[in-house]
Amino acid sequence: MSMSSWWKSLLPVLVASCSQPSEPGAPDASAPVGFPAPQVAGTAETDALANNPARCGQPSHVWLRSDELGTTVSRTEPVHNTADYLDGLAAAGDLTLPNAPFYDAKVTTITYRTQDRGVMLEATALVAWPFGLPRDAPPAPVLLVLHGTQGFTDGCSLDRDATGKLLASYFATLGYVVVAPDYLGLKASGPPTGFPHPYLVGQATAIAALDAVRATGRTPPDEMDDVVVSPRVVMLGGSQGGHAALWVDRLAPYYARELTLLGGVATVPPADLLGQAERALTELVDATGNVIAVLGASAPWYGLGSRLGEVFRSPYDVDIPAALAASCDPTDGIPTEGQLTDVFQPQLLTAASSGNLANDPFGCLFVENGLTTTSIPRLQDDANDYGLLVILGENDQLVHTPIERAAYAELCNAGVPLTYLECAGAGHTQATSWALAEIADFLEARVNGETFTPQCTVSAPSTCRGTPTP
């Protein structure tokens, strides 16, 4: 949810040579590679959502069930990064990696087929894999990396972010096949998506992310240096990506039943989106800009684009969507000074201050995309090694930590298998970078099948292992 990319808190080194121009290829998407075919719904509980996924007055539609989902249309020529090179970049950026790079890595950008509101369309994703695995190595697990706020329109993709490529490459050197989707509306190239990125919309983001995993898994091994991709998936997401990781956990049992989720990490996620929005519409805080972005970028996805005058005062009802569509800097065009009453209509502010935002037509966007308030129940039948780590920052000025502490306890007590870490003294992006060692250990434990014990007690802030020494 950060208004600047969370990648940059992890690898603050921009190296243009990691993003050389290349010509797209056109791999045979129908090649048999042994990865399971898509399973969208197929049970009474999952069909109930797949046949009626529309929310918040959205036009009715049905999820497609098609073998075309998660097929690759094209990919760029892979870039080869050596382990020594990546290690040197981390040292130059004064970043202590929890594990030294082991393998080399290759990274590419793919264009693949997914769906949106029952219509097939294309999206893009960054994919990285280890180079130099033994030929008899078992299939490599997928690490689904879900990025923070990049922008709200086509072209605001990871393909333009050298640090994003470096982070994906680093995790690939540890033996993961890394899949980092751009999300709908942020595609790297090709025909326009046709609508803004539906910012913090759980369904749109999780569906595109899961189809990106499918596209990577169905890639013939000879196009990935003989790496065979396993349908076993762990997740890592920060900020907006932390919200996305929790939505992948929520929707995978409905939308991608052939995949085996092992768990993952969500750092600084706005799980209680309604609570965060009510705070941001009651007092002018850093998160107010994110609420503006949700309303301006996501209302069109729900069919509310022509009604923005109900929440924004003129000329913001026109100027904000135009600004979000014009730049990949998430702060461009979003008012950050003045009074809430300068930007928002009084009805919306009154609904928020009185605790009635959930009953507002636009409040539904926050209700249905919050993990604590959505009408979509969690169906995950968790194995005893499945678990999710939530990491918060004690001094987070964007995602309000007290709200998320309460959301964590609510989700855990409702049966979501969670454990908690709060980095003492950490701000919004620092919570992720300071906990990188804990993140790596947790992901490895999930892949190795270690038994997980949920911990519903919110523990006191502690010194995360990557916290800089005074």
Side-chain angles (χ1 to χ4, degrees):
M1 193 172 168
S2 167
M3 300 308 285
S4 62
S5 173
W6 74 290
W7 300 109
K8 295 173 177 58
S9 71
L10 300 179
L11 281 173
V13 184
L14 293 170
V15 181
S17 60
C18 288
S19 183
Q20 297 295 333
S22 54
E23 293 298 322
D28 179 7
S30 64
V33 295
F35 200 78
Q39 288 186 349
V40 178
T43 68
E45 287 180 304
T46 59
D47 283 343
L49 177 61
N51 293 335
N52 186 27
R55 296 294 187 270
C56 302
Q58 196 176 39
S60 62
H61 57 275
V62 175
W63 285 351
L64 300 174
R65 284 83 153 174
S66 171
D67 284 345
E68 288 295 301
L69 294 167
T71 55
T72 301
V73 176
S74 65
R75 69 171 184 168
T76 61
E77 186 67 25
V79 174
H80 188 155
N81 293 317
T82 68
D84 288 344
Y85 175 65
L86 293 168
D87 199 29
L89 288 173
D94 196 26
L95 177 70
T96 301
L97 297 174
N99 300 289
F102 188 77
Y103 299 104
D104 290 358
K106 288 191 175 182
V107 61
T108 185
T109 295
I110 65 169
T111 300
Y112 64 97
R113 293 185 180 91
T114 184
Q115 65 172 299
D116 179 64
R117 293 164 291 178
V119 176
M120 195 77 73
L121 80 170
E122 295 179 0
T124 56
L126 198 70
V127 176
W129 62 91
F131 178 79
L133 285 178
R135 287 188 174 274
D136 59 351
V142 171
L143 173 58
L144 179 59
V145 176
L146 299 152
H147 64 73
T149 307
Q150 290 276 129
F152 308 96
T153 190
D154 287 328
C156 302
S157 64
L158 292 175
D159 188 62
R160 58 187 284 275
D161 183 355
T163 47
K165 291 188 176 184
L166 292 175
L167 181 64
S169 294
Y170 166 67
F171 277 109
T173 71
L174 304 182
Y176 295 102
V177 172
V178 178
V179 180
D182 290 321
Y183 308 152
L184 290 183
L186 303 179
K187 63 189 302 191
S189 60
T193 302
F195 53 88
H197 165 51
Y199 184 50
L200 290 174
V201 172
Q203 278 199 53
T205 300
I207 284 173
L210 290 164
D211 281 330
V213 173
R214 287 169 167 157
T216 303
R218 299 169 76 179
T219 301
D222 61 3
E223 295 182 5
M224 295 178 62
D225 300 296
D226 296 322
V227 173
V228 178
V229 183
S230 168
R232 302 169 72 237
V233 182
V234 286
M235 302 167 290
L236 168 59
S239 194
Q240 181 190 1
H243 177 265
L246 296 176
W247 268 102
V248 169
D249 165 83
R250 184 66 59 102
L251 287 186
Y254 293 90
Y255 186 73
R257 297 176 57 228
E258 80 279 11
L259 300 180
T260 302
L261 264 65
L262 306 176
V265 181
T267 72
V268 292
D272 182 1
L273 203 57
L274 178 64
Q276 296 286 351
E278 286 181 335
R279 172 177 175 264
L281 289 169
T282 303
E283 55 181 314
L284 185 61
V285 292
D286 289 354
T288 304
N290 294 89
V291 169
I292 291 172
V294 169
L295 294 171
S298 297
W301 196 80
Y302 286 97
L304 297 170
S306 63
R307 295 174 55 186
L308 285 174
E310 297 177 26
V311 289
F312 292 134
R313 287 186 177 276
S314 179
Y316 292 115
D317 58 330
V318 174
D319 290 352
I320 286 173
L324 295 175
S327 171
C328 289
D329 182 346
T331 63
D332 279 0
I334 294 181
T336 57
E337 298 179 350
Q339 304 296 319
L340 293 172
T341 52
D342 296 337
V343 178
F344 297 103
Q345 293 287 9
Q347 303 95 305
L348 187 71
L349 298 178
T350 299
S353 63
S354 62
N356 291 317
L357 183 60
N359 298 319
D360 184 271
F362 282 83
C364 183
L365 276 62
F366 302 103
V367 171
E368 283 298 338
N369 293 298
L371 279 305
T372 57
T373 51
T374 180
S375 63
I376 300 174
R378 187 174 185 272
L379 298 183
Q380 187 82 280
D381 183 14
D382 303 306
N384 63 4
D385 55 355
Y386 186 92
L388 298 166
L389 169 62
V390 171
I391 300 175
L392 301 180
E394 181 184 18
N395 296 334
D396 194 334
Q397 298 301 307
L398 185 61
V399 175
H400 192 53
T401 301
I403 291 174
E404 292 309 316
R405 290 179 187 137
Y408 170 88
E410 182 178 348
L411 290 170
C412 192
N413 289 322
V416 183
L418 297 173
T419 192
Y420 184 86
L421 175 64
E422 186 172 323
C423 290
H428 186 67
T429 58
Q430 293 164 332
T432 304
S433 58
W434 292 2
L436 194 56
E438 288 90 344
I439 290 169
D441 287 351
F442 191 85
L443 294 174
E444 184 178 7
R446 304 285 66 75
V447 171
N448 291 340
E450 296 181 15
T451 299
F452 177 80
T453 302
Q455 175 54 262
C456 290
T457 301
V458 174
S459 54
S462 59
T463 302
C464 291
R465 284 152 57 189
T467 303
T469 55

